[in-house]
Amino acid sequence: MKAELSTEVGEDVTASTAGGCRFCGARLEHVFVDLGMSPLCESYVSAKQLNQMEPFYPLRVYVCERCFLVQLEAYVTREQIFTEYAYFSSFSDSWLEHARAYAELMITRFGLDSQSQVLEVASNDGYLLQYFVKSGIPSIGIEPAANVARAAVERGVPTRVEFFGLESARSMAATRLSADLLVGNNVLAQVPDINDFVAGLGAALKPHGVITMEFPHLMRLVAENQFDTIYHEHFSYFSLITVEKILAAHSLTIFDVEELPTHGGSLRIYARHANDLLRPIEERLIALRTREEEAGFTRLEMYQGFAESVQETKRKLLDFLIQAKRQGRSIVGYGAPGKGNTLLNYCGIRTDFLDYTVDRNPYKQGKALPGTHIPICAPEKIRETRPDYVLILPWNLKDEIMKQNAYILEWGGRFVVPIPELRVFD
Ligand SMILES: [Zn+2]
């Protein structure tokens, strides 16, 4: 216990400052990875903010030795994250296709029709529920950001403006509103009180209803070194094994799982009430659980090995950038995603290495990246300045980006991808 050895008045700064595990309450003593101090990754900096102070928060991730939930302290409130949300899901074509295919699959598999009720938590601008509405299936979204909910209502998706939890589930149940299909995509990681949220899922589900949730898979994060997908807005990082434990604590059972390519590798879990025996446990659920056990996700040592591979990735990226600059090469970024901000802040990469980055989202153009203050330009800037290297920050979209921007080869430009490990494309 380092804190007890400290002889000075005041606390030892190397001691754990975290509270209890968000799920099981055990004391958090083991660091999974420490990415230092970082600004909120969606806080893009406008020209008039450039000379002002910017808040930085620790990006130190813990693993619970009892339930193996990988987690950050909630430095930001859910109101800060959700209430004025700049990101509208419908911006991306591939994301819409993902949603359409999901709706079709659920309607067929679970026989949904005009008598069924679909509920979606964190339903955003209705990008997903619109496909159920088009098929004549009663659907209601629950979305805390009022401006985003308004966009959903405009496209015909009824939406309640509120945070989801046990209280809101109970008030819906009191009006006989409960779900045959209850959807929660990319929301579980952003819930500060995970027990209240999962209890709410149980309360909002009909006796034979099905919950599906998608979230980035911790096994992929570890295997592919995706430390840049860690940011303050994501409080929790899940293995299948840990999610099963969390749901089981609220009498919910996962009966099936799919592995998806989205967000660098996600899981889609299917859950039901524990006492609903109509749906048997599928083989592929058991198989994935076994793979996680074999990969070490129930042993603390596996989690403790991650930090070293993160540090090695930083050293390799900096090696490359330093050499390229010594040779007089110019380097720019492509994209301004949240994950880019984690990477650049952790590695200390500013305009000393990257002249600028570009992004197709007009909301981000003309602003600067949080922390590093690298300017964000429109993509045409690359053609004007003809850089030697283009560092792709949203590496999960690298194939699409390299195809769309293949013209950089005209002047001998090359693409660089930092994750899972540094790679220069010739
Ligand atoms: Zn725990």
Side-chain angles (χ1 to χ4, degrees):
M1 296 283 37
K2 285 174 182 158
E4 286 166 17
L5 294 175
S6 174
T7 53
E8 298 292 323
V9 177
E11 285 181 43
D12 179 350
V13 295
T14 63
S16 164
T17 53
C21 170
R22 175 165 297 120
F23 166 57
C24 77
R27 194 180 142 81
L28 295 175
E29 295 183 274
H30 304 282
V31 174
F32 175 62
V33 65
D34 188 346
L35 299 173
M37 297 291 287
S38 214
L40 300 185
C41 75
E42 298 291 338
S43 303
Y44 295 91
V45 182
S46 67
K48 70 174 194 301
Q49 292 169 322
L50 278 174
N51 292 330
Q52 295 171 4
M53 280 201 295
E54 205 178 348
F56 276 55
Y57 303 87
L59 205 42
R60 185 192 287 146
V61 189
Y62 291 88
V63 57
C64 174
E65 66 182 353
R66 199 195 290 166
C67 71
F68 299 109
L69 180 62
V70 170
Q71 57 196 293
L72 277 172
E73 264 187 89
Y75 295 102
V76 283
T77 65
R78 58 183 192 177
E79 283 78 10
Q80 275 174 290
I81 297 174
F82 285 109
T83 29
E84 202 202 321
Y85 209 47
Y87 179 76
F88 282 50
S89 299
S90 299
F91 278 169
S92 153
D93 289 346
S94 58
W95 198 239
L96 284 177
E97 176 48 29
H98 177 73
R100 194 201 56 74
Y102 165 81
E104 200 177 286
L105 185 68
M106 293 306 109
I107 292 169
T108 314
R109 178 166 178 184
F110 299 115
L112 303 176
D113 60 25
S114 62
Q115 304 302 308
S116 309
Q117 178 69 58
V118 178
L119 294 179
E120 187 189 9
V121 180
S123 51
N124 212 291
D125 61 0
Y127 74 99
L128 184 138
L129 285 181
Q130 64 178 336
Y131 298 107
F132 290 97
V133 170
K134 277 178 197 158
S135 302
I137 297 161
S139 305
I140 296 177
I142 300 147
E143 167 55 50
N147 60 331
V148 180
R150 211 160 27 245
V153 172
E154 279 163 18
R155 62 153 56 100
V157 177
T159 303
R160 297 162 69 105
V161 181
E162 61 188 39
F163 284 103
F164 180 81
L166 188 54
E167 195 187 314
S168 74
R170 281 187 176 147
S171 76
M172 285 190 282
T175 62
R176 305 184 65 82
L177 180 59
S178 55
D180 294 285
L181 176 65
L182 179 52
V183 192
N185 288 344
N186 297 303
V187 59
L188 197 59
Q190 305 189 341
V191 173
D193 186 347
I194 201 160
N195 285 308
D196 179 72
F197 183 86
V198 176
L201 294 177
L205 190 68
K206 285 186 186 168
H208 296 296
V210 172
I211 297 168
T212 77
M213 285 196 280
E214 294 177 23
F215 47 82
H217 189 191
L218 181 62
M219 189 162 83
R220 297 285 297 274
L221 188 156
V222 171
E224 286 153 46
N225 205 16
Q226 301 166 355
F227 66 89
D228 58 341
T229 61
I230 293 168
Y231 28 83
H232 296 105
E233 289 83 343
H234 284 178
F235 308 142
S236 309
Y237 301 82
F238 303 100
S239 64
L240 173 66
I241 289 171
T242 296
V243 172
E244 282 194 292
K245 270 188 211 154
I246 295 171
L247 267 64
H250 298 277
S251 303
L252 296 167
T253 298
I254 300 180
F255 64 91
D256 194 9
V257 65
E258 281 176 82
E259 292 178 83
L260 308 172
T262 47
H263 295 297
S266 296
L267 293 185
R268 175 187 291 152
I269 56 115
Y270 294 77
R272 54 160 166 81
H273 287 291
N275 60 8
D276 172 13
L277 302 177
L278 286 183
R279 302 180 200 285
I281 307 290
E282 301 282 341
E283 272 304 315
R284 58 184 174 179
L285 176 80
I286 297 163
L288 180 57
R289 193 194 295 145
T290 307
R291 273 166 53 211
E292 283 192 352
E293 281 164 3
E294 286 169 358
F297 282 80
T298 52
R299 292 196 318 269
L300 194 58
E301 306 83 74
M302 190 289 297
Y303 295 89
Q304 290 173 321
F306 182 62
E308 174 53 31
S309 60
V310 172
Q311 290 167 18
E312 180 56 18
T313 304
K314 172 175 179 169
R315 292 189 284 262
K316 278 185 184 156
L317 178 57
L318 287 174
D319 263 352
F320 167 79
L321 294 172
I322 290 168
Q323 278 196 37
K325 292 308 273 186
R326 284 220 170 107
Q327 292 163 1
R329 309 273 189 235
S330 58
I331 314 162
V332 305
Y334 191 99
K339 58 165 75 75
N341 292 327
T342 294
L343 179 84
L344 298 172
N345 277 295
Y346 170 64
C347 296
I349 297 166
R350 302 184 180 80
T351 50
D352 43 1
F353 289 115
L354 295 192
D355 298 339
Y356 59 85
T357 191
V358 300
D359 200 278
R360 291 167 77 184
N361 185 343
Y363 168 83
K364 294 178 183 174
Q365 292 168 8
K367 297 194 166 86
L369 297 182
T372 60
H373 290 195
I374 294 170
I376 308 168
C377 306
E380 296 72 49
K381 179 97 173 176
I382 291 180
R383 209 183 270 281
E384 285 164 34
T385 64
R386 300 161 70 93
D388 296 305
Y389 293 107
V390 175
L391 178 68
I392 299 179
L393 297 171
W395 42 259
N396 51 318
L397 307 174
K398 70 175 186 328
D399 295 335
E400 194 178 323
I401 291 168
M402 288 195 290
K403 212 158 109 191
Q404 282 165 357
N405 300 279
Y407 61 82
I408 74 165
L409 303 174
E410 290 167 19
W411 61 82
R414 291 195 280 175
F415 293 104
V416 182
V417 174
I419 306 278
E421 54 179 357
L422 185 95
R423 191 169 159 200
V424 180
F425 288 81
D426 288 306

